[in-house]
Amino acid sequence: MPDLWLPGAERHPLSDAAPTDTEYAPRVIWHITWDKNGTAAAPVDLVPFDQLVRYFTGGGSGTAPHLLWDPFTGRTAQFYPANSRSKSVVDNAGGTRTNRTGRVCLQVETLFFPYCRVNGRSYATVRDTPAKGLDKILTWARSWGVPDAWPMGSPTWSANRSEHTWETQGGHYAHGQVPENQHTDPGPMPKWPTAGPAPKPGPPPFPGRSAFGPGKSNASILLLGQQLVRRGFGKHYRVGPTRDWGEADRLNVRDFQLAQKWSGSDADGFPGPQTWARLFG
Ligand SMILES: [Zn+2]
């Protein structure tokens, strides 16, 4: 199972964790804390992170999210494990479920309000912030199967809601896109940083020439054969590659070597380090 707690988040577990409706696709709901209202002409200092932590673990626990996220410092605090519902959206009795919908339904309260002031500069939207630590939250969400998409479009300040989309598609939702809710947060969000390329496994080490040849049987022969097939040089196999060296292995290796424009002893059908490197490279 992926991590129940975002790695690096400060943990403040609330005692009333409860399961989600796991038959629905996994998702994230984004909010801003919207503590105050600044304007372009009169920005207001951002509220301290710890004040919000006290709120969500105290008087505001009835609307606690999974995560509180400070996009200026990257600091995060977590109140419910990933497999619990949290409570930041309205869920009317009966009707569409909201806080519980999804294999996970991760809710993030971004510490933000329009025209908040941080270090002497004011910010109109979350999109304008440094969005520090967003990559970690997205990596965590992806580990729970949440796709990077916004099924109802990337957020704006106006709300739009579709129960059908909500119930049928995983991904990222704005609070303003959740059925039964009146809020319009979080407003424009940063473009998602793309997932880094998965680390490419290096080629397996060459096991040595003595691993191959008549009478030999080992895992390297099987690996060799499977890679030959993968690269399109498997036509001499009748039953597919095995651990046992056979003439089909030699002929397939030879075809591969000839395709490299090698000749003579370089194309004798027995793999050396060059053949191995080229085949797995
Ligand atoms: Zn909200």
Side-chain angles (χ1 to χ4, degrees):
M1 189 159 70
D3 289 314
L4 288 171
W5 300 86
L6 170 68
E10 299 161 34
R11 297 185 190 182
H12 301 274
L14 295 171
S15 59
D16 62 340
T20 58
D21 297 336
T22 53
E23 68 272 29
Y24 294 94
R27 63 200 62 211
V28 178
I29 305 172
W30 292 89
H31 305 261
I32 56 174
T33 49
W34 217 329
D35 318 88
K36 299 179 178 179
N37 272 302
T39 63
V44 177
D45 282 342
L46 188 65
V47 174
F49 188 88
D50 290 304
Q51 189 173 317
L52 269 300
V53 171
R54 279 195 298 277
Y55 176 72
F56 285 129
T57 54
S61 65
T63 57
H66 289 82
L67 289 179
L68 173 66
W69 169 51
D70 182 339
F72 299 98
T73 65
R75 196 175 161 194
T76 47
Q78 189 171 348
F79 306 100
Y80 290 104
N83 60 356
S84 170
R85 60 91 180 86
S86 63
K87 296 181 158 181
S88 299
V89 292
V90 168
D91 190 5
N92 297 332
T96 308
R97 300 257 254 177
T98 55
N99 285 306
R100 290 177 185 263
T101 306
R103 178 190 175 208
V104 292
C105 183
L106 305 169
Q107 300 198 54
V108 183
E109 286 278 2
T110 308
L111 178 58
F112 188 86
F113 55 86
Y115 299 103
C116 58
R117 184 170 48 206
V118 178
N119 296 327
R121 195 191 140 179
S122 86
Y123 297 83
T125 70
V126 180
R127 174 168 287 178
D128 304 322
T129 73
K132 239 181 135 180
L134 176 60
D135 52 336
K136 287 184 192 159
I137 296 172
L138 290 175
T139 298
W140 186 55
R142 289 176 190 127
S143 77
W144 281 100
V146 178
D148 282 349
W150 295 90
M152 299 191 55
S154 58
T156 65
W157 287 117
S158 51
N160 60 322
R161 304 185 168 88
S162 156
E163 270 190 34
H164 178 73
T165 304
W166 172 253
E167 291 188 341
T168 55
Q169 292 193 46
H172 295 266
Y173 288 86
H175 187 176
Q177 296 170 335
V178 178
E180 299 181 0
N181 281 259
Q182 309 303 322
H183 289 205
T184 57
D185 59 309
M189 290 290 288
K191 283 219 181 315
W192 281 174
T194 45
K200 236 175 144 183
F206 181 60
R209 291 176 191 275
S210 61
F212 308 103
K216 299 288 167 61
S217 175
N218 57 62
S220 294
I221 295 170
L222 178 59
L223 192 63
L224 172 80
Q226 289 169 334
Q227 186 69 359
L228 284 164
V229 170
R230 220 170 275 140
R231 298 287 300 269
F233 293 88
K235 74 172 185 202
H236 296 285
Y237 291 124
R238 291 284 154 80
V239 292
T242 69
R243 293 169 56 89
D244 303 321
W245 181 266
E247 182 64 1
D249 291 307
R250 194 187 72 81
L251 292 172
N252 285 329
V253 171
R254 187 161 179 275
D255 285 352
F256 178 76
Q257 291 169 329
L258 291 171
Q260 312 307 307
K261 309 256 189 288
W262 298 341
S263 58
S265 63
D266 291 336
D268 60 4
F270 295 99
Q274 294 300 326
T275 300
W276 191 264
R278 191 66 73 89
L279 186 59
F280 287 95

